[in-house]
Amino acid sequence: MAILTDTRARNIKPDGPQIAHGGVTGLVLIPAKTKGHGKWVLRFVSPVTGKRRNAGLGNYPEISIAEVGKLATAMRDNIAAGADPLEAKKIEMSAPSIPTFKAAATTLHSELLPGWKNFKHGQQWINTLEEYAFPEIGALPLNEIQPRHIADVLRPIWLSKAETSTRVKQRIHAVMSWGWAHGHCVANPVDVVHHLLPQQPGKAVRTEHQPAMPWRDIPKFIKDNLQTSSPYDLTRPMLELLILTAARSGELRGMCWPEVDLKGKIWTIPAERMKAKQAHRIPLSDRAVEILKRQLGMHDHLVFPSPRAQAEMSDMVLTAFLRRVKAKSDSPGRVATAHGFRSSFRDWCSEQGHARDIAERALAHSVANKVEAAYHRTDLLEQRRPVMQAWADFCTGGGGQASTIVTAVSPKRKRLR
C-alpha cells in the first residue's frame, strides 16, 4: 500500500471516507469538519484486554504524515512487546503530579506554622526560602532537584553568611524530606550537598556575641536614661525591668499580669514562652515590684502593651532606644543590646563571688550534662532572691559598686552518685 501523500491529505473532505496512512498498519486519517483537516487514529487489538481500541495521535496538518508515522511505529513496537499504550496513559494520568519546590515549601510552611512559638519565626522560615531558594529551584519539580541545584542555592552565601546558609540548608532539607515522605522523590539531595561546597569556618570562629554593657556602667546608664515620671513612657521602665530581672527581651515583652505575683514578689514565666520550654520563676526585687505597680491599670492582660495596638511590643522597641541613647558596650563601634544585659548580670555575679548555680538558674540556662541535669530538682528561688535584690540595689545606685551578699550555695558541687 502506497503511503498517503500531502496532496491527497489536503484534499480530504468532511463527508469523505477515512484514508489509510499506508506506512503503519491500522493508522488512518479520519476527515474533520473542515476540508484538508483530519484526525490521526491508530487502530489495534490490545494485548492486555484483547479488545479492539483506537488511539488518537493528533490532528492533520498540525501533525504531518511523516511525524505521525514515527509516533505510530513506536506505539506498534510497544504493542508488540505486550503493552497497551492507552492503559499506560491512563495509569500516567492517574498518578499524582509532582509539586514544584515552591509549592511543596508553601504547603509544608502552612502545615508547620501552628507548631511554631510565634508568627515571626514562621515568617522568617518562608522568607529565607523566598529570598535564596525560590529563584534557583522554586520552579523545579521535587523529583528533578539534584545536589548540584542545592549547591547553586547555597554557594553565594555559604562562606559570607554562614549562619544564614545553614538555616537555608536546614529548611531546604525539611522541604525535600516532606517530598520524600509523600513519594515525590526517592532521596534527599541535601544529604550529600556538603561534598560540593567548601568547609565553613567553625562555629566558635563565626559566632558573634551580643554587645553587652560593662556591669560597672549600668548604674549611671539607668540614672541618666531610664528614670522617668511619665506614665506613658513604657520603653524606659520595660528596659529597666529587663536589666533587673536578667530576662530575655521576648519574655519581658510578652509579660502578662497572670504571671505576676506582686505579694509574693515572683514572676513565673510559663514553659511555652521560655527558650528551653521549661517554666521559670524570677524573684522580684523591691525596685522591680515598684516598676510593676506603676504599670497596674495600663492593660488588662499585658504589662507593657504597645500604646497603639494594645498588643505585644515590637522586638525593635528596645533596640531602637539603645541605639538612640548610644548605649555603651564592650564591643568597639557597637551599642549595647537588650540581650547583652544578661551577660552583664552574669559577669557581675562572677565578680561578686555568687555561686555558679545561682547565676545559671537566674538566667534560666539549661544544663547540658544529662546526668547533672537529673539532679537539678530545685530552681533555688529563695537562694536567688537576695542575689536579685543585691543586683537591683547595685543597678539603681542603692548598693554601691559591689555586693557583699554571698549565697548559701557553695560553688563546689558534691559528687553525683
Side-chain angles (χ1 to χ4, degrees), residues 47-60:
V48 176
T49 65
K51 297 180 179 180
R52 295 181 64 85
R53 309 200 70 173
N54 296 332
L57 295 180
N59 299 319
Y60 176 85

Side-chain angles (χ1 to χ4, degrees), residues 141-152:
L142 293 183
N143 62 337
E144 294 182 13
I145 297 176
Q146 302 295 320
R148 60 184 176 84
H149 296 126
I150 310 298
D152 289 341

Side-chain angles (χ1 to χ4, degrees), residues 369 371-376 413-417:
N369 187 298
V371 176
E372 183 180 351
Y375 286 83
H376 284 239
R413 185 182 310 282
K414 292 181 179 180
R415 184 178 181 184
L416 300 178
R417 298 179 183 274

Side-chain angles (χ1 to χ4, degrees), residues 114-130:
W116 281 314
K117 61 182 180 180
N118 58 58
F119 175 79
K120 178 184 174 182
H121 177 74
Q123 200 58 41
Q124 287 175 337
W125 193 94
I126 195 68
N127 285 348
T128 54
L129 293 180
E130 288 177 348

